[in-house]
Amino acid sequence: MKRIECFVGLPSQAGILTLEPEVAAVHILDTPFSRSETVRAAARTATAEFSLFYTRQTELSLVHFALERMLQVADDTGAAILYADRFLSKDGVVTPAPVIDYQEGALRDDFEFGGLLLLRTSALKEAASRMTADYEAAGLYDLRLKMSQKGRVEHIGEFLYYEIESDLRKSGEKLFDYVDPRNRSSQIEMEQAVTDHLKAVGGYLEPVFKTVDITEGEFAYEASVVIPCKNRVKTIGDALRSALSQQTDFPYNVIVVDDNSTDGTVEVIESFLGDPKLVYIAQDPTWHAIGGNWNAAIHHPACGRFALQLDSDDLYFDEHTVQKFVDAFRAQDCAMVVGCYRMTDFDLNPLPPFVVEHREWSPENGRNNALRINGLGAPRGFWTPLLRRLNFPTTKYGEDYAVGLRISREYQIGRVWDVLYTCRRWGGNSDSDLSIEKVNANNFYKDRIRTWELQARIALNHK
């Protein structure tokens, strides 16, 4: 008896139609899997032991015995969802495209499974029966969250199929999809789905926060602009000029932390040392990364009461950014503040999505939604006494996300809805065009951060 039937979300060019005789039937659906009703319809229709979902609108070709292999792993593990590595064809060039392991904190709605999912039909039907919302964009996301609550999600680290790459943008151009205002309605659905999931697994946090006494401690400076850098000779001068030209009604300074630059960055920094507001930290040659550079700044005796982010290739929007940050801390009783930024190219010409507000960060549910999104916004400011107790992880990716999640577990994160920051996108950005292996490593680490944070929140709720 054939154990698989296939479902294709919308008619496509898919070579999946040639899967016979491996599958019992191929069902072409009229609507995409993003719709809840499409998922429920597939669950109602499915009669075989396993349901194969192909979620792309491009051609699919299987490696020999791919389905047999997926069934073997399904039998061995009892998994509810199985997915595999694959090859991608871009402009006729075929390259390996591995994916990463699923984990408890893999809550991003854009988690990359590839286009092919093998679902245990009994688990599919059970999860679909609990899908009460009618989503237009979050249907498949809602399904996999619900299936993961009661069943195993298994990554088969073998290349089992070929698909055509439909998104040819560089990695850096994809980073901001989740904050593009054009996608706001979809993001609201994704937030609802993940919030329901967190409630089901015991990781949801009510909007109740610890209070902050921002007068704690003695500080010579009310604020410090922290600029970690390494080999940024083209941009560090602009960043320093932006930071040093701020107008405030309180004393502030600028702490630049150089991590052993070799391209002339140090010489540029030294040209600014005549300004008494500048504090220069030269790191020793051991491993620091961005997180370690931040730790050096916040533990420096000259660090101010509030530590404010400025990346070494970005700029503050105007001379009032530092003042607006501190005003927000004073008014909102919070341990961290996030502003809004505008996107530009290197020459400050606007780029889409232009102004990024991070509307997904709400006082009522931001701390829960933060486990889904890929970043907490920019620029970021921190209350230094708390930051000195927590510290940043010593890593060069995700360090700000990790500490922001940790803060949000207990404390309110405030918002400034003005544009405070100019985020320059150019070829020198560390995330401008990464290999798939590097993208996978970054995503796996952030999922691990989410896993640890989710586990801590579940334990907190148990108390």
Side-chain angles (χ1 to χ4, degrees):
M1 179 179 177
K2 296 174 182 177
R3 301 175 64 193
I4 301 176
E5 56 190 319
C6 178
F7 295 85
V8 180
L10 288 177
S12 69
Q13 312 168 36
I16 198 165
L17 301 180
T18 66
L19 287 180
E20 301 273 17
E22 288 89 350
V23 298
V26 176
H27 305 280
I28 307 297
L29 305 172
D30 294 330
T31 52
F33 286 114
S34 60
R35 295 188 59 191
S36 299
E37 181 50 38
T38 304
V39 172
R40 288 192 290 260
R44 289 193 300 268
T45 303
T47 58
E49 184 180 1
F50 290 94
S51 299
L52 191 69
F53 280 19
Y54 185 57
T55 63
R56 303 288 196 254
Q57 298 305 304
T58 56
E59 185 177 348
L60 169 73
S61 177
L62 292 176
V63 170
H64 293 305
F65 303 110
L67 296 184
E68 288 85 344
R69 179 56 175 158
M70 296 183 83
L71 288 173
Q72 285 178 351
V73 177
D75 289 340
D76 289 344
T77 64
I81 303 175
L82 298 100
Y83 63 105
D85 296 342
R86 83 283 198 211
F87 296 99
L88 282 180
S89 175
K90 299 182 181 181
D91 298 323
V93 178
V94 176
T95 56
V99 290
I100 60 177
D101 287 352
Y102 198 84
Q103 50 186 306
E104 190 178 5
L107 299 176
R108 292 174 292 118
D109 56 85
D110 63 350
F111 184 91
E112 181 59 83
F113 290 96
L116 200 62
L117 294 168
L118 184 67
L119 311 178
R120 191 175 298 274
T121 300
S122 58
L124 165 63
K125 288 179 177 292
E126 191 280 330
S129 71
R130 292 185 283 123
M131 291 177 62
T132 57
D134 286 317
Y135 295 130
E136 292 294 318
L140 189 60
Y141 179 55
D142 189 26
L143 174 71
R144 61 105 157 169
L145 290 177
K146 285 182 166 55
M147 292 184 71
S148 71
Q149 293 165 12
K150 297 187 177 183
R152 182 183 178 93
V153 182
E154 189 69 31
H155 167 215
I156 304 174
E158 303 166 12
F159 295 92
L160 296 184
Y161 63 100
Y162 300 81
E163 65 182 15
I164 296 174
E165 175 61 85
S166 56
D167 189 345
L168 301 179
R169 295 176 297 165
K170 295 179 179 179
S171 62
E173 296 171 337
K174 303 176 185 179
L175 284 175
F176 301 94
D177 288 350
Y178 73 102
V179 290
D180 191 326
R182 294 171 296 184
N183 299 331
R184 183 65 185 138
S185 60
S186 299
Q187 292 300 309
I188 292 172
E189 289 191 2
M190 302 296 184
E191 178 177 354
Q192 182 59 57
V194 79
T195 302
D196 290 345
H197 173 73
L198 292 174
K199 290 177 179 178
V201 300
Y204 172 81
L205 296 179
E206 297 285 350
V208 179
F209 306 94
K210 289 184 177 180
T211 58
V212 174
D213 178 9
I214 63 170
T215 65
E216 177 184 323
E218 297 291 331
F219 292 88
Y221 298 92
E222 190 71 356
S224 291
V225 178
V226 176
I227 309 177
C229 68
K230 183 179 180 69
N231 292 336
R232 280 290 183 261
V233 68
K234 293 183 179 180
T235 59
I236 186 62
D238 291 341
L240 286 171
R241 276 186 287 273
S242 174
L244 292 167
S245 63
Q246 294 293 298
Q247 298 179 9
T248 65
D249 61 12
F250 49 80
Y252 84 98
N253 62 15
V254 177
I255 303 178
V256 59
V257 185
D258 180 73
D259 196 359
N260 298 280
S261 292
T262 58
D263 68 341
T265 294
V266 171
E267 289 75 12
V268 176
I269 294 171
E270 289 175 342
S271 71
F272 286 85
L273 288 179
D275 192 315
K277 293 193 296 294
L278 184 61
V279 178
Y280 170 40
I281 299 175
Q283 291 282 46
D284 64 53
T286 60
W287 174 252
H288 302 286
I290 298 174
N293 294 333
W294 261 94
N295 290 335
I298 63 177
H299 287 283
H300 192 282
C303 186
R305 187 180 306 277
F306 305 108
L308 314 179
Q309 169 223 358
L310 178 59
D311 289 349
S312 57
D313 46 9
D314 295 331
L315 307 168
Y316 282 152
F317 184 70
D318 59 26
E319 68 273 17
H320 304 299
T321 291
V322 170
Q323 182 71 52
K324 289 181 178 179
F325 256 126
V326 173
D327 288 346
F329 275 109
R330 291 170 173 171
Q332 297 183 43
D333 187 31
C334 53
M336 178 177 171
V337 169
V338 178
C340 303
Y341 59 92
R342 66 170 181 170
M343 299 283 297
T344 75
D345 62 16
F346 187 85
D347 297 317
L348 305 184
N349 299 305
L351 293 176
F354 306 112
V355 173
V356 178
E357 296 180 319
H358 279 272
R359 289 282 173 184
E360 72 282 354
W361 188 265
S362 64
E364 300 79 15
N365 200 48
R367 69 200 311 196
N368 296 301
N369 199 28
L371 288 168
R372 176 187 67 86
I373 59 180
N374 230 7
L376 298 185
R380 297 169 290 275
F382 305 92
W383 180 47
T384 300
L386 177 61
L387 205 52
R388 284 174 171 172
R389 294 195 287 269
L390 297 179
N391 288 318
F392 285 83
T394 306
T395 178
K396 61 182 179 180
Y397 179 81
E399 76 294 331
D400 51 347
Y401 183 64
V403 79
L405 280 182
R406 176 62 186 87
I407 290 171
S408 73
R409 189 193 312 168
E410 298 178 280
Y411 297 92
Q412 177 68 277
I413 293 185
R415 289 303 317 269
V416 176
W417 296 107
D418 296 338
V419 174
L420 301 182
Y421 200 74
T422 297
C423 180
R424 293 201 288 194
R425 305 302 299 171
W426 61 297
N429 288 128
S430 57
D431 56 10
S432 62
D433 189 19
L434 302 180
S435 68
I436 192 167
E437 291 79 13
K438 187 60 178 176
V439 170
N440 282 347
N442 287 347
N443 284 334
F444 186 84
Y445 176 65
K446 275 197 172 178
D447 286 349
R448 181 63 72 197
I449 290 170
R450 294 183 186 94
T451 295
W452 293 331
E453 182 62 28
L454 177 58
Q455 291 169 345
R457 294 183 181 195
I458 292 172
L460 180 65
N461 284 332
H462 282 324
K463 293 180 182 179

